[in-house]
Amino acid sequence: MLDLAIITARAGSVGLPGKNVAELGGVPLIAWTVRAAMASRCFRRVIVSTDGPAIMSAARAAGAEVPFVRPAELATSAARSSDVVLHALSATKTTGAFALLQPTSPFRSAEHIRQAVRIYDGTPSPAVVSVGKGKPAAWQFTTDETGRLQPLARAVPAVSRRQDAEPLLAPNGALYLCDVKTFRDQGTLFPDGVAGYVMGHIDSLDIDEEEDLALARAIVDARLRVIDS
């Protein structure tokens, strides 16, 4: 069991104003993450770091603690996640291990959290970060100044099957587990020796824009994902 789950949810959002309390499946978006954290039974405390009264109310209604108001200087778009986490760790006097859970990843479930914690407990890694699968490097391109495609790899391989190439993995923003001492010493959620926890495409959905929310609502309406109870 980890000491603390930190759910970070500032009130301001440029891409999608009010997204953390936007309705998804009949509840505020943040409730999906609070309920997943609570249902996982992996944390001694589940807290929300926010500066927004509406978010505070929604978080408490879902079962989380809101033990402080996030300082204004940590509630801007320029504020670093590491500083927000450091503030929460200091305010709660947490010294063991913690998770950072972002409410914009509603389909990260209690079972995902339990699996990631098992990886954390079962390996010497000081941290675990959730990742999603991307296209293999051999099938990714940039464009030059004329608009022509330029392969990231040295050459496009002769094989035409995407399945024959190893996919890239990229952090999906859903889940970060870390030892407090390591985090304080290295100042990052990606310390030396960090392990990865691979999540599926739907579960990796990150809601930043209106179309992301529309997609999430369509997934819920189709009963492809349901909120933890």
Side-chain angles (χ1 to χ4, degrees), residues 104-137:
T104 49
S105 299
F107 302 141
R108 172 247 301 104
S109 67
E111 181 56 27
H112 290 131
I113 295 171
R114 285 190 286 265
Q115 290 177 9
V117 170
R118 282 196 286 271
I119 293 173
Y120 179 83
D121 288 340
T123 70
S125 298
V128 175
V129 171
S130 61
V131 294
K133 291 183 179 179
K135 301 291 185 184

Side-chain angles (χ1 to χ4, degrees), residues 19 26-27 29 38-39 55 57 62 79 100 106 108 114 133 136 170 181 186 203 215 224 227:
K19 66 182 177 183
V27 300
L29 179 62
M38 300 291 290
I55 297 172
S57 296
L100 169 62
R108 172 247 301 104
R114 285 190 286 265
K133 291 183 179 179
K181 184 179 185 304
Q186 298 191 31
D203 299 322
L215 177 57
L224 296 177
I227 191 169

Side-chain angles (χ1 to χ4, degrees), residues 50 59 85 107 115 141 155 174 215 225:
T50 185
V85 169
F107 302 141
Q115 290 177 9
F141 297 81
L215 177 57
R225 295 293 184 275

Side-chain angles (χ1 to χ4, degrees), residues 33-43 46 109-111 113-114 228-229:
T33 292
V34 172
R35 286 170 63 170
M38 300 291 290
S40 75
R41 300 186 182 277
C42 289
F43 308 105
V46 176
S109 67
E111 181 56 27
I113 295 171
R114 285 190 286 265
D228 283 293
S229 58

Side-chain angles (χ1 to χ4, degrees), residues 170-218:
N172 62 11
L175 181 63
Y176 305 84
L177 309 180
C178 195
D179 169 73
V180 172
K181 184 179 185 304
T182 299
F183 177 72
R184 288 187 178 278
D185 287 348
Q186 298 191 31
T188 178
L189 293 163
F190 296 84
D192 298 337
V194 61
Y197 169 61
V198 182
M199 292 173 58
H201 180 66
I202 291 179
D203 299 322
S204 295
L205 179 64
D206 183 27
I207 298 177
D208 281 327
E209 307 290 341
E210 186 67 44
E211 54 264 36
D212 301 325
L213 181 58
L215 177 57
R217 285 171 172 164

